[in-house]
Amino acid sequence: MIRRQHMEAQKNTSSILVSEFLLICFPNLQTWQHWLSLALSLLFLLALGANATLLITIRMEASLHEPMYYLLSLLSLLDIVLCLTVIPKVLAIFWFDNKSISFSACFLQMFIMNSFLTMESCTFMVMAYDRYVAICKPLQYPSIITDQFVAKAAIFVATQNGVLTMPIPILSSQLRYCARIIKNCICTNMSVSKLSCDDITFNQLYQFVIGWTLLGSDLILIILSYSFILKAVLRIKAEGAVAKALGTCGSHFILILFFSTVLLVLVITNLARERIPPDVPILLNILHHLIPPALNPIVYGVRTREIKQGIWNLLRRLKEVR
């Protein structure tokens, strides 16, 4: 009895002393960190530059002031926020050995990562609906997919995912912590909560249920949308119409493929953590916040004639200013 009370006292003391966390990145890849940081910084600059260019192009080109491109702008904004939330801290650890992160900054990063990841998935779902209406109900498209629809969709995406994922960092912040070394480059819920002295079963269960409910429902609706699109396209008999219809969905489908593939690989590696070196899931988690944001605007820029023309117009204006 006395020993139990002593252990509880130690736990309480430890939880009070822990006022910040230390992020330990890639403990088994110390010699490769400088090369890795170079690759990550280049991807980071590419992601920020490509998304910023896309946003400016859509803003400046009147021909791109349409619901489809507004949704693409929303996706770019989410990508930029995700990059800025994760990568600067990772690079600070690599370059300046700045491993410490305060409680508030850690849980804020956790909230943004969880909420914006699900917001991005939900945005893909809305974009799939946009393509479904464009292909399957072309005559009704102007009356269904309006600027008001995009505004309501953006509010829905932000509110639903923000409210439902907010309890994850709140639950973690209420725990008592007996250790402060996080074996990760970022404050994921699982990496942080397992340092707690308390029972984290409910915390893990909530994240699992909410995460798979939000991401799973988006994926099901995306699959349904593309099933209807494929069915409608196969009915088209006009020459060249099938290629044109699929072309309007190709870029969006490739973006979903990037997003889903990286996420799926990350989930599999976390499930098989005991068989995989611990640095692999950490690296994949970071790349998931870099590869889709870097590739999304490039895919749309390369495959969409209107965006390519808008970028050329933007470059021409910059030359004229000089």
Side-chain angles (χ1 to χ4, degrees), residues 10-42:
Q10 280 187 325
K11 286 183 178 181
N12 290 334
T13 303
S14 299
S15 64
I16 293 172
L17 291 176
V18 176
S19 59
E20 64 179 12
F21 295 113
L22 290 179
L23 296 165
I24 306 300
C25 272
F26 305 113
N28 300 323
L29 294 176
Q30 296 290 330
T31 56
W32 291 88
Q33 284 195 10
H34 291 295
W35 294 105
L36 184 58
S37 67
L38 177 61
L40 293 179
S41 60
L42 291 175

Side-chain angles (χ1 to χ4, degrees), residues 26 29 36 40 184 278-288:
F26 305 113
L29 294 176
L36 184 58
L40 293 179
N184 205 331
D279 291 331
V280 174
I282 296 174
L283 178 60
L284 288 173
N285 209 331
I286 294 172
L287 291 178
H288 182 61

Side-chain angles (χ1 to χ4, degrees), residues 3 33 42 81 128 240 261 303 306 322:
R3 184 180 179 183
Q33 284 195 10
L42 291 175
V81 173
T261 301
R303 292 181 57 87
E306 292 81 3
R322 290 180 182 178

Side-chain angles (χ1 to χ4, degrees), residues 177-229:
Y177 289 94
C178 303
R180 65 182 189 132
I181 297 178
I182 302 173
K183 294 181 180 180
N184 205 331
C185 298
I186 52 182
C187 289
T188 65
N189 182 46
M190 303 309 297
S191 299
V192 175
S193 60
K194 70 181 182 181
L195 303 178
S196 170
C197 317
D198 299 328
D199 183 13
I200 61 172
T201 303
F202 181 74
N203 184 309
Q204 293 176 325
L205 181 62
Y206 184 86
Q207 180 177 20
F208 179 82
V209 172
I210 288 298
W212 283 108
T213 298
L214 293 174
L215 296 176
S217 60
D218 291 339
L219 182 60
I220 290 172
L221 291 172
I222 288 170
I223 292 173
L224 284 174
S225 295
Y226 274 95
S227 298
F228 288 128
I229 289 172

